Amino acid sequence: AIKDKTNSLLSSGPNGQSGFSLPSSNTFKHLLAGGLAGAVSRTVVSPLERLKILFQLQHSQHEIKFKGIMPSLIQIGREEGFRGYFKGNGTNVVRMVPYMAVQFTAYEEFKKRLHVSQDIRKHDSLRRLAAGALAGITSVIATYPLDLIRTRLAAQGEGHSRKYRSILHAAVLICRQEGGFFGGALYRGIGPSLMGVAPYVGFNFMIYENLKGIASKYLYSSSLDGCSELSVPVRLTCGAIAGALSQTVTYPLDLIRRRMQMKGTNSNFAYTSTLNAFVTIIRKEGYFGLYKGMVPNVVKINKYMNWLFNFYKLFVDPSVTCQIRKLSDTAITRLELVSEAA
């Protein structure tokens, strides 16, 4: 009855059980999971992401408009309304879907190429680091223009200070006024981006998977129904630690990238190179100038990595797939009982 009608939506699971059919291609699965995980996680932390960018772009003590996380969030809401918290997020989501899709897929492919063990309890640290670094570089090159546009949209205010109306308008205006696409207008700051993303993504994946491996030795548990996994709190903690540590190591390069992306709109950020940016910031703003916006970024990155890794796991982890199949079987059985009783 009902099972016959649902056969087109459900496929045979293990041991003849019914379950939701999943894409047979691992590459497609990683693309979909990475893209959706990136979009959801970025939207959740968008207010803190925008606040971090605003802090990073405050050039001197005389230009400081935002101080503290909560007072600044209140100020944004008062001046720009609820939408102000998500300014530039549309561009960020458009960027993050292909960015994270490429990154997770590239990471899985590079792990195969580098013969990284699938057993998380085996610490192939250097190989995981290399795979993550190469995946980060690949994803940045593929999506960098959208990152630059997102920064411009997030940095602008309302009213007379609003220069760009949309993603397309920003792209056209930047190319027209700042040297054209082939002149590198949409790739300003990609140097420090590549320098920062390689160790950031590399450390991120390496630390996260190594922490999971360590945790699995002491906290691993197997449920009675054959589906086994680390608990959600453990994975949340691993994601938070991995994100915080890797971001702290590479944060100065992220700040320089943001400022170089604003080069065409702010004369204070007319750095000639990454090294020149380092020297200039330290001379004018001190060493702490390299870490402006670090506090909201740590809060943001912890929440972001938690959402990212766990939402990604929802799509690719076999234990989750097992639970989905069991839930689908239970639902179908109950529907059959109801229809028979009727």
Side-chain angles (χ1 to χ4, degrees):
I2 294 177
K3 275 188 178 178
D4 292 335
K5 295 179 181 179
T6 55
N7 279 339
S8 60
L9 298 176
L10 301 170
S11 63
S12 177
N15 302 322
Q17 294 178 324
S18 298
F20 291 113
S21 60
L22 297 176
S24 57
S25 168
N26 283 331
T27 299
F28 174 74
K29 182 170 64 175
H30 289 300
L31 279 168
L32 178 62
L36 291 176
V40 173
S41 55
R42 280 293 178 176
T43 300
V44 170
V45 301
S46 179
L48 290 169
E49 173 68 12
R50 186 174 182 228
L51 188 59
K52 180 199 78 170
I53 292 175
L54 292 174
F55 280 172
Q56 287 179 328
L57 299 180
Q58 292 185 135
H59 178 254
S60 67
Q61 294 295 326
H62 304 292
E63 296 179 356
I64 290 181
K65 180 181 179 181
F66 301 100
K67 295 181 179 179
I69 296 177
M70 289 308 299
S72 299
L73 289 173
I74 293 172
Q75 184 177 347
I76 291 173
R78 185 172 59 246
E79 294 179 357
E80 303 178 35
F82 182 75
R83 293 179 62 183
Y85 295 120
F86 297 91
K87 186 173 289 184
N89 185 59
T91 313
N92 205 22
V93 169
V94 171
R95 178 184 74 94
M96 286 308 296
V97 171
Y99 176 80
M100 295 311 304
V102 170
Q103 187 176 109
F104 274 105
T105 305
Y107 179 63
E108 296 299 329
E109 290 300 318
F110 283 124
K111 281 203 303 182
K112 293 176 185 177
R113 301 285 183 181
L114 297 173
H115 306 291
V116 177
S117 174
Q118 294 298 316
D119 187 349
I120 60 174
R121 287 167 290 188
K122 294 182 179 179
H123 302 306
D124 293 335
S125 298
L126 292 179
R127 291 182 181 180
R128 293 187 194 279
L129 178 64
L134 291 170
I137 290 172
T138 303
S139 56
V140 165
I141 293 175
T143 61
Y144 190 80
L146 285 169
D147 184 45
L148 182 142
I149 292 171
R150 186 278 301 262
T151 300
R152 297 283 183 96
L153 290 173
Q156 68 180 358
E158 293 293 330
H160 67 279
S161 61
R162 184 177 183 181
K163 183 177 181 180
Y164 308 111
R165 298 191 300 269
S166 65
I167 300 174
L168 181 60
H169 180 252
V172 172
L173 206 59
I174 292 170
C175 287
R176 183 183 300 161
Q177 296 179 349
E178 301 177 32
F181 178 82
F182 294 104
L186 293 175
Y187 281 87
R188 293 183 186 278
I190 194 172
S193 293
L194 293 176
M195 291 171 60
V197 78
Y200 170 66
V201 178
F203 279 120
N204 214 349
F205 278 115
M206 181 190 75
I207 294 172
Y208 178 69
E209 295 200 3
N210 283 347
L211 286 175
K212 285 201 306 178
I214 294 171
S216 68
K217 290 183 178 179
Y218 303 101
L219 303 174
Y220 187 84
S221 62
S222 180
S223 59
L224 296 177
D225 59 3
C227 294
S228 57
E229 61 176 333
L230 288 173
S231 65
V232 172
V234 172
R235 286 185 283 114
L236 290 175
T237 302
C238 292
I241 294 174
L245 290 178
S246 55
Q247 184 69 28
T248 300
V249 171
T250 61
Y251 188 80
L253 287 166
D254 182 61
L255 180 139
I256 291 174
R257 169 179 60 126
R258 297 293 179 201
R259 292 194 173 187
M260 293 184 75
Q261 288 176 339
M262 297 297 295
K263 187 175 179 180
T265 63
N266 192 325
S267 59
N268 291 318
F269 303 147
Y271 308 121
T272 57
S273 65
T274 303
L275 179 60
N276 175 254
F278 266 108
V279 173
T280 303
I281 291 172
I282 293 173
R283 185 177 69 249
K284 293 184 177 181
E285 304 172 50
Y287 287 98
F288 287 109
L290 294 171
Y291 286 89
K292 284 185 176 179
M294 183 66 189
V295 175
N297 190 64
V298 169
V299 176
K300 178 213 75 174
I301 205 67
N302 285 344
K303 295 182 180 297
Y304 168 67
M305 295 313 302
N306 288 340
W307 278 84
L308 179 64
F309 282 123
N310 285 285
F311 202 84
Y312 177 73
K313 178 182 173 64
L314 177 66
F315 284 86
V316 298
D317 193 275
S319 62
V320 176
T321 303
C322 177
Q323 295 290 354
I324 291 174
R325 289 194 179 106
K326 290 182 179 295
L327 287 173
S328 68
D329 288 338
T330 301
I332 290 172
T333 301
R334 290 180 180 178
L335 283 172
E336 286 179 328
L337 291 174
V338 171
S339 65
E340 289 172 0

